[in-house]
Each structure stands twice: as C-alpha cells, then as structure tokens.
Amino acid sequence: MAEVSANRQVSSSGFLLTMATEVPSPDPGQFVMVGLPEPGAFFLRRPFSVFDFQARRKRLSVYYSVAGPGTEVLSRVRPGEKLSLLGPLGRGFPESPRRLHVMVGGGRGGAPLAFLSRRARKGKRVLFLVGARTEEHVLPLERIRASKIFVATEDGSLGMRGTVLDLLENVVSSPDFDWAEAALYGCGPSALLRKLHAMAVKRRVPCFVSLEARMGCGLGACQGCAVRKSSGGFFLVCKEGPVVDSLSVDWQSYSEVR
Amino acid sequence: MTVHLGSLRLRNPLMLASGVAGYGHELGDVIDLGRVGAVVTKTLTLKPRQGNAPPRLAEVPSGLLNSIGLANVGSRAFISEHLDRLRNLDTRIIVSVGGFTVAEYAKLVLELEEVGGFDAYEVNISCPNVKAGGVNFGSTPGKAAGVVRALRSKTGRPLIVKLTPNVTDIPSVAVACESEGADALTVGNTFRAMAVDLDSRRPVLGATGGGLSGPAIKAMCMAKVWEVVSSVRTPVIACGGICSAGDALEYIVVGAAAFQVGSACFRDFRAPESILEGITEFCRRKGVRSVAELRGTLELPRT
C-alpha cells in the first residue's frame, strides 16, 4: 500500500497523484497499477504511466484525467489515504542514439514524456510538443526539461491554434530541423500516434510510442491487454509495452479499439 | 487445512483459478505460490491460440468482463518452455485443458501424459464444440460426459471438471460428469455477459460478449454450488467472486470442499494470503479445528 501525499487538480482535466512508496526506481515510460478506493465496486487496478519519481523522498507521481467512474473516484482521494500500488511495470522508452529527441504528447499523453525529458542525457537536444484542448487542459509545463517547449491548443488560448500534429508540421518544416538526427517519441490519442508513425515511416526515423489498453493483472498473466501486431498476432501492452516501436503496431486495429 | 479431492491432496483449500496465474511464473514475484493449495494453469489447447480481438477486458460494477478467447501457447510450447518451471513450484500443479473436439481433448491429454510432472487436470468444458455448431461441451450432460469419458480412459491423474453456469440444469451436467469418473467438479466458469459503450453504440468487448467474474457473480455462483452439492457426492470446488475469507467460508458451509480465487488477485495479489489468514482466524475464533469440519454445515430452515 502507498500513502497518498497529494492528489491535486493541476489542469481542467488533469490530476497529479503523488504517493509515498518504496518501489524501485522506474524508467521513463514504465507504468504502475493503482488500486482504487471502494474495492468492491472498482476492483481492477488502473494502469498509469509514471509522471515523476523522486528517489530521495520516495515519491512517485502519476498524471491522470477523469475518464470514467473509476478515475472519478480516484480524483476524490485525499492525502493520507492508502492505495494499493504495483510497479514499476513494463518496458519504458529506449534511448535512441540520435541526438534530436522530438517528444510529442497529446493531452494526458504528455505525462510519461515529461518524465522522459527530465532523464534525457547531456548532449541530447529535446524538442517537446504539447497538445491540449485549451490552456486550462495543458499539463504542468514546469516539469518538462527541454531545449524548447512548443504548445498547441485547439482554441488557441495558449501557443499555436491547432492540434499537436499541426504543431509538429511547423516544427519539422523549420530549415534547421535535421531529420537525419531525429527520433520521435509519442504518447496520446490513437489518431495522433498513428499519424506520428506515418510521419516516421515517411522520414525513415525511429518512432517509439506509449500505448494504452485496459489491463487486468499488469504482469502478462491474464492476456487482457492485447494489441494486434503489424506482423500478425498480438502482443501484450503490459509486458512488451507500454512503449513499443511504432512499426510493430497494427494501427488500423489499434485505432478502432481506442 | 489439508483437503482431499479424490486422490489429490492439497495443503489448503485455496487454489488459484485458471487464467489468473498464467503458467505459474508470471506471478512469482507477487504471490508466494508456496502458500497456496494449488495453481490451475491458463487453459491449454493442442494448437497455440492468439485469442480474441481487443478490447478483451471491461470492468462493470463489481465485476470483470473478459473475452480473452483461450489465448495460449499450445501444448508443444507449454511442454518445452513452461512445464519445467511449473514442476519446480512448491504447490500442486493442475493443468487446465481445453479442446474443440473430443479428439482434441484426448490428444492433448495423451501428450501431457507422456511428459508428466504435474498433479491433476482441470477440464475446461466451456469450449465451443466445432462439430456441434459451436455449442459448448458443458452445456449438455451428454456432451460433457463424452469429454470426461474420453479422458478418463487416458489418465489415472485426478480429473477435475469445470462446469459452466450458463445452463438451465447444472445438476444434470454434474451428475453426468460424476458418473463418467470425474474426481471433482469446479463450479464454475464465468457467466455470459455483455457491456455496451453508449457514445459509440458499440459493444465494449471486441468479441461482443464475454464472461463475467468477480464479486458480481458470487451470489449466483453460490446457488449453482448449492444445486451441485445437493445432487452429487463428488467434491465440489467453488469458484466465483471470492475476495475474502468470508466469501470462501460461505461456499464451504454450503458444501464446497475447496475454492478458487481468480479476479480478486488482480485487485490485490495479497488476496490469497489474506483469505488464508482470515480462515485461520475464523476457525480459531469459532473453535473449529479444520475447514473440513465446516463443510456442508449449512443450516436450513425446517419446513
């Protein structure tokens, strides 16, 4: 069990849940399974990517949005309450040897990328692209460490007006953008990831994406979080993901499921 | 807490249900398998199976809906890659077997008999019979009996048959399995169920329908266990929504000899441990010397 030290609303749709825990240090992109209160009604734990981990203070944070009755109950948890916590689990983001890391986060998908940005090695140039509906929905930008942060909102209330993909088109059309040095990292809605993958294929650059799936165990036992592979068959998001090479995903199937 | 299911002796009545513990090693870091009475593997079929289209899971109030679709590695990979590790676990290993024809069940059991290294079978008869238009073997006494008969002649190991609750007359299926030599009956598999996403007007599960487990089915499963224990002498293993020691003890009072824990592990992998501790505590408090003493002690009102 992990004691909740904070559970604050930090944007219109986003909450930052911080727990005191002894779990091993997570890699960016790994996830934890968090149990909800009212275990009778909501007995499945929910998977969340790690947003932050402070080893010294033994604090782990996740950034989530209220997407259904389970996360609604979670949003009402108060500091001092205890939640069951399992993790870190799964495979995180691999570090590309390329020098330019382009991180593209749509909505709450920015969370694992924010963690990744803070762990980027010296000598890497990080461009961080954030997309949200309005300024109020943007995740906490102060937790991102990047050479440059770009923001797009659908209503133009912060940064560029448009989607994060429009923003990406802008960024890559800059004359000093060097595809030969670039690697793409993405997390967010399936339509975003699918287009990011298409761009990576066209430009022949590596692209790593963090996927979402409904999970039962988080450990590869229940076979619940299967995603169709481009090469046929399925892989499990909890074991082979949540971060995978975008080439391995059957995007047609993934878009229909999400 | 020792219990006997035919010739199978378990150190305690708690078994991990098929599907929750994979092939044993997946949960090795989170559950001390040396504490549980037995582990039932994920259902194995002769050929590997990829499983159903996603999404395969949906949570409904107090329940878990799944349509995994018997995804498994198939007998060849199971024998070469998983059996050795399972063999080394300090608990009873029960291999769950499935098939789509009686011949497939039989061939699978013969292959497993050749290698050995496990303690019993649980026969999953909630599989569609492809030669009978996809009707589950478990849905009629005759088809269920056919599977048990075919396997009984192939193995001396204990045969536990896992019944489906999706029948109008579960005692008739139970009696048929008992008369063909089943050593124990698990009651039961998941209840047929469905969930709909109103925004998209689509079924939540990729396979449209699925099986419901978790606390939502406990009371329904209790009635099925009661019906079965009232009609056969074969030991019954209760499986349906057990999350606490109290849940397990209720089934034992109704007449179950042992019980299986499934979905509750996903909520908390310490569930098996806390259920066992709770049972010990209950017995101490009530001055009961063994779980067997409680079995079938349901007090019925006099009529």
Side-chain angles (χ1 to χ4, degrees):
Chain A
M1 297 298 270
E3 187 174 314
V4 173
S5 48
N7 187 27
R8 292 182 297 121
Q9 186 160 12
V10 292
S11 71
S12 283
S13 53
F15 288 77
L16 197 58
L17 169 69
T18 304
M19 292 161 284
T21 170
E22 300 284 333
V23 297
S25 180
D27 297 329
Q30 282 193 301
F31 69 99
V32 290
M33 297 287 280
V34 179
L36 302 179
E38 302 176 31
F42 301 104
F43 68 95
L44 280 188
R45 289 191 254 220
R46 303 301 199 258
F48 299 108
S49 285
V50 176
F51 175 73
D52 197 9
F53 183 75
Q54 294 170 283
R56 215 159 28 84
R57 295 176 58 222
K58 298 187 165 56
R59 292 282 195 280
L60 185 144
S61 307
V62 301
Y63 177 80
Y64 65 96
S65 57
V66 173
T71 38
E72 204 278 318
V73 165
L74 186 61
S75 73
R76 285 188 267 120
V77 167
R78 300 260 159 263
E81 285 185 54
K82 288 191 169 144
L83 300 175
S84 79
L85 180 74
L86 178 69
L89 303 168
R91 291 185 189 165
F93 291 100
E95 195 184 313
S96 169
R98 292 181 167 225
R99 281 214 304 270
L100 179 60
H101 290 189
V102 183
M103 302 182 186
V104 183
R108 61 178 181 257
L113 296 169
F115 187 33
L116 177 66
S117 75
R118 291 195 302 282
R119 296 284 177 95
R121 294 212 189 156
K122 286 207 174 78
K124 301 285 182 192
R125 183 171 157 78
V126 174
L127 300 183
F128 202 106
L129 285 68
V130 178
R133 264 184 288 162
T134 71
E135 179 178 8
E136 278 75 41
H137 288 84
V138 174
L139 83 169
L141 297 174
E142 69 275 9
R143 300 302 297 155
I144 297 166
R145 202 176 70 195
S147 310
K148 199 146 188 216
I149 301 173
F150 304 87
V151 180
T153 50
E154 284 168 28
D155 67 349
S157 51
L158 185 68
M160 190 188 121
R161 180 180 184 138
T163 68
V164 73
L165 278 165
D166 301 329
L167 188 60
L168 180 62
E169 292 288 356
N170 267 4
V171 169
V172 303
S173 63
S174 152
D176 62 343
F177 188 88
D178 185 4
W179 279 109
E181 281 300 333
L184 299 180
Y185 293 87
C187 184
S190 60
L192 163 63
L193 300 186
R194 190 179 188 179
K195 286 181 180 152
L196 200 61
H197 164 69
M199 182 181 273
V201 169
K202 189 172 152 202
R203 300 292 183 169
R204 298 169 181 273
V205 298
C207 177
F208 303 102
V209 291
S210 176
L211 303 179
E212 280 192 318
R214 295 165 188 273
M215 285 185 194
C217 67
L219 297 166
C222 79
Q223 309 273 323
C225 58
V227 165
R228 218 177 269 282
K229 281 194 269 195
S230 53
S231 57
F234 295 95
F235 64 83
L236 298 180
V237 173
C238 72
K239 287 304 275 189
E240 282 153 79
V243 177
V244 295
D245 188 317
S246 70
L247 288 169
S248 61
V249 179
D250 177 335
W251 288 102
Q252 177 65 36
S253 165
Y254 185 72
S255 319
E256 280 167 11
V257 167
R258 296 299 314 158
Chain B
M1 280 212 246
T2 308
V3 298
H4 296 268
L5 303 168
S7 59
L8 181 67
R9 183 178 167 278
L10 309 184
R11 67 161 79 88
N12 65 53
L14 189 150
M15 307 162 70
L16 291 183
S18 178
V20 58
Y23 302 111
H25 55 85
E26 291 92 336
L27 303 187
D29 293 339
V30 291
I31 297 183
D32 180 2
L33 298 175
R35 291 271 290 140
V36 305
V39 172
V40 186
T41 67
K42 176 140 196 63
T43 295
L44 189 66
T45 52
L46 204 53
K47 296 271 176 330
R49 286 176 56 85
Q50 295 182 347
N52 285 334
R56 295 175 173 180
L57 295 178
E59 193 185 81
V60 297
S62 302
L64 168 62
L65 190 50
N66 88 77
S67 62
I68 307 295
L70 296 173
N72 80 95
V73 298
S75 63
R76 186 175 298 174
F78 174 78
I79 290 167
S80 62
E81 293 162 28
H82 298 281
L83 197 53
D84 269 344
R85 266 188 290 189
L86 267 173
R87 213 174 252 164
N88 291 325
L89 295 177
D90 174 28
T91 188
R92 298 289 184 211
I93 303 301
I94 299 169
V95 178
S96 171
V97 291
F100 301 93
T101 61
V102 172
E104 260 183 50
Y105 277 101
K107 186 147 189 282
L108 174 60
V109 164
L110 281 177
E111 285 189 10
L112 290 164
E113 281 301 301
E114 263 181 42
V115 288
F118 55 94
D119 301 289
Y121 295 97
E122 184 176 79
V123 188
N124 179 356
I125 54 171
S126 304
C127 298
N129 178 351
V130 292
K131 290 197 173 157
V135 180
N136 283 356
F137 287 100
S139 61
T140 66
K143 289 194 181 62
V147 176
V148 181
R149 189 183 313 131
L151 301 189
R152 186 70 290 170
S153 63
K154 311 270 179 303
T155 178
R157 281 175 224 274
L159 278 179
I160 301 167
V161 182
K162 187 169 186 176
L163 305 181
T164 170
N166 301 305
V167 290
T168 44
D169 185 13
I170 197 168
S172 66
V173 183
V175 166
C177 294
E178 178 180 59
S179 60
E180 295 297 341
D183 296 280
L185 302 171
T186 302
V187 180
N189 216 311
T190 52
F191 283 77
R192 289 289 296 165
M194 182 174 166
V196 172
D197 179 75
L198 188 54
D199 284 329
S200 63
R201 300 194 205 175
R202 285 186 185 177
V204 175
L205 296 179
T208 304
L212 186 62
S213 63
I217 69 166
K218 193 188 94 180
M220 291 190 287
C221 188
M222 194 70 72
K224 297 289 181 191
V225 168
W226 171 241
E227 286 181 54
V228 173
V229 297
S230 304
S231 56
V232 297
R233 298 176 63 87
T234 306
V236 168
I237 303 162
C239 177
I242 296 175
C243 293
S244 67
D247 295 337
L249 288 162
E250 288 169 21
Y251 277 116
I252 288 167
V253 165
V254 164
F259 61 89
Q260 297 183 355
V261 180
S263 310
C265 294
F266 297 157
R267 160 81 206 170
D268 185 353
F269 288 109
R270 289 167 311 173
E273 191 100 357
S274 68
I275 289 169
L276 288 170
E277 283 166 14
I279 291 175
T280 304
E281 169 59 20
F282 178 88
C283 291
R284 196 190 53 76
R285 205 171 61 235
K286 299 282 186 181
V288 176
R289 275 173 307 176
S290 73
V291 171
E293 219 177 284
L294 285 169
R295 181 178 163 199
T297 56
L298 186 69
E299 297 273 350
L300 292 173
R302 275 163 223 232
T303 49

